[in-house]
Amino acid sequence: PNQSFSTIDATMMDRIEVLRGTSSASLGSDALGGAINFLSTQASVRGTGEVHTSVVARGAGAESSAGLEGRANWSTDRFGAVATASARHMGNPVAGGAIGAQPFNSYNEWSASGNVAVEISDRQLVRAAVQTTQQYDVLRAYGSSPLDFRKFTRQNRLLSYARYEVQPNDLFRSARVTLSYQRQGERFERFRVAKNVREREDLTVHTMGVQAETQFDFSRLGNIVAGVDMYLDRIESAASTGALADEQLILIRSMARYVPKSQYDSANAFISYDVDLVPTLRLFAEGRGGYVRIGVPSDARLFDRLGGGEAAILPAVQSIVGVYGWGAHLRYQPISAASFSAGATGGFRAPNI
């Protein structure tokens, strides 16, 4: 789905990290040159048992927006929990002078999240979290006009995970296993007003994942992070069309961007290493390797929208494809206010389905 930062609710966030240089070992093969990592608020333990709450109301005249946000957290010596919720309306932005209000930009949204932590022992911790965001009537401004406009009439995201963490000793700093599930869905519609035509595409992607990771601290000899991960994607896709006022649209198989019931599987191993060569010079190096496989039903067909014909899916599309990524860079920091970095990255990313 074509989801961007707009589906990330700031109420859920603890901080944003800008990762420079190679990050593919920990974040996947797409992060060869760096990444922006949004980290949600984590529940903490060792609290006093008190409940802390906050409620914030926001509004802006320049975009006719209004929102309400709430947060609550509670922790004891061995248990902690955090919950957030928000609802907001984004109106049409208003420009100065004769430009005035910019139509077709308003939308509505609500979000909620929960995060719990349970300390089994001084060195063992279990975490679980879930968060969801729902948006309605989000205009896709690119390519839209009053007589031919596109919008996401429904857009949603659900993220969840459960994690077990252990800290065996000072050398074997930590090990953790994470199970995750994500669902992204959208209903994208195009309104051809001049032709009285409405086109709709429903797309949902289910992603299940498992990751195992270990961290070693060799003191002056550096730090090593190594692990494996595996993800399974399942795709539901349907397209339909009809008149603007029709409640029930007609399914048109050839309009769908993705083959229904397709799947996308990947498995990888990764390792990263960082060390201070001298007090002012630090080395980062990492590598990742694995495979991806696209699974398409045997009766699936490719449609040629220009010629009107169809053809069978090429066998090569369903082959197992090897992927890899690597990188290394040096950071020189002579003073705390300045640093200089140089490095090299390479790799072959997973093909799009």
Side-chain angles (χ1 to χ4, degrees):
N2 186 27
Q3 298 189 359
S4 60
F5 292 161
S6 67
T7 57
I8 300 175
D9 183 8
T11 310
M12 305 176 185
M13 294 298 106
D14 177 55
R15 66 189 187 277
I16 300 173
E17 291 182 346
V18 178
L19 305 176
R20 302 174 182 175
T22 57
S23 301
S24 61
S26 57
L27 299 179
S29 58
D30 281 355
L32 282 172
I36 300 175
N37 193 18
F38 291 79
L39 298 168
S40 57
T41 301
Q42 298 282 300
S44 60
V45 295
R46 308 297 173 87
T48 61
E50 296 181 348
V51 178
H52 299 273
T53 61
S54 65
V55 177
V56 178
R58 303 180 187 272
E63 55 191 14
S64 303
S65 66
L68 187 65
E69 306 168 359
R71 179 193 294 261
N73 61 76
W74 172 67
S75 67
T76 63
D77 189 47
R78 295 286 187 178
F79 179 83
V82 176
T84 70
S86 69
R88 60 175 56 88
H89 168 75
M90 302 297 292
N92 293 320
V94 179
I99 298 178
Q102 304 299 296
F104 306 113
N105 281 282
S106 63
Y107 67 91
N108 298 305
E109 171 189 299
W110 68 264
S111 301
S113 72
N115 187 296
V116 298
V118 180
E119 190 176 70
I120 302 174
S121 69
D122 290 342
R123 293 184 176 270
Q124 299 181 80
L125 186 70
V126 174
R127 291 188 180 277
V130 61
Q131 58 180 249
T132 183
T133 297
Q134 309 283 330
Q135 292 182 339
Y136 304 94
D137 297 327
V138 182
L139 180 79
R140 186 171 182 176
Y142 176 76
S144 291
S145 66
L147 295 180
D148 185 357
F149 60 94
R150 304 159 171 85
K151 66 164 58 178
F152 294 99
T153 52
R154 186 176 67 242
Q155 196 166 230
N156 58 75
R157 172 181 287 178
L158 172 70
L159 303 171
S160 62
Y161 74 85
R163 175 179 295 159
Y164 170 74
E165 303 176 12
V166 60
Q167 298 176 329
N169 51 59
D170 293 337
L171 172 63
F172 190 9
R173 184 190 302 174
S174 69
R176 64 185 186 183
V177 177
T178 305
L179 303 177
S180 63
Y181 170 74
Q182 174 178 258
R183 187 190 71 232
Q184 290 180 275
E186 66 184 29
R187 169 169 286 182
F188 179 68
E189 297 195 72
R190 182 176 183 180
F191 300 85
R192 300 175 183 261
V193 179
K195 298 181 179 181
N196 191 31
V197 173
R198 180 179 184 181
E199 299 172 352
R200 173 187 295 168
E201 182 178 37
D202 290 294
L203 176 63
T204 303
V205 179
H206 304 269
T207 303
M208 294 164 286
V210 58
Q211 183 188 63
E213 179 184 294
T214 59
Q215 298 184 33
F216 299 91
D217 185 353
F218 295 102
S219 186
R220 295 183 179 180
L221 297 179
N223 305 303
I224 291 178
V225 178
V228 295
D229 57 35
M230 180 174 66
Y231 295 96
L232 309 176
D233 289 347
R234 299 296 180 266
I235 298 173
E236 301 172 5
S237 178
S240 54
T241 187
L244 293 175
D246 288 349
E247 293 293 333
Q248 297 293 329
L249 304 183
I250 302 172
L251 288 174
I252 305 294
R253 184 183 178 190
S254 60
M255 290 176 56
R257 285 184 297 163
Y258 301 92
V259 177
K261 298 182 180 180
S262 298
Q263 60 189 49
Y264 190 90
D265 307 330
S266 67
N268 297 271
F270 57 86
I271 186 170
S272 66
Y273 175 68
D274 64 274
V275 62
D276 288 322
L277 301 178
V278 295
T280 57
L281 186 63
R282 190 170 185 85
L283 169 67
F284 300 85
E286 64 175 7
R288 164 180 284 265
Y291 80 89
V292 298
R293 179 185 179 275
I294 298 174
V296 181
S298 59
D299 62 343
R301 293 292 183 269
L302 292 175
F303 288 87
D304 181 355
R305 296 190 180 185
L306 297 178
E310 63 178 62
I313 300 291
L314 295 175
V317 172
Q318 298 176 285
S319 299
I320 294 177
V321 179
V323 294
Y324 64 90
W326 62 267
H329 77 273
L330 293 168
R331 175 177 292 178
Y332 175 60
Q333 189 167 10
I335 58 176
S336 59
S339 64
F340 305 89
S341 297
T345 62
F348 179 77
R349 68 179 296 276
N352 290 326
I353 189 166

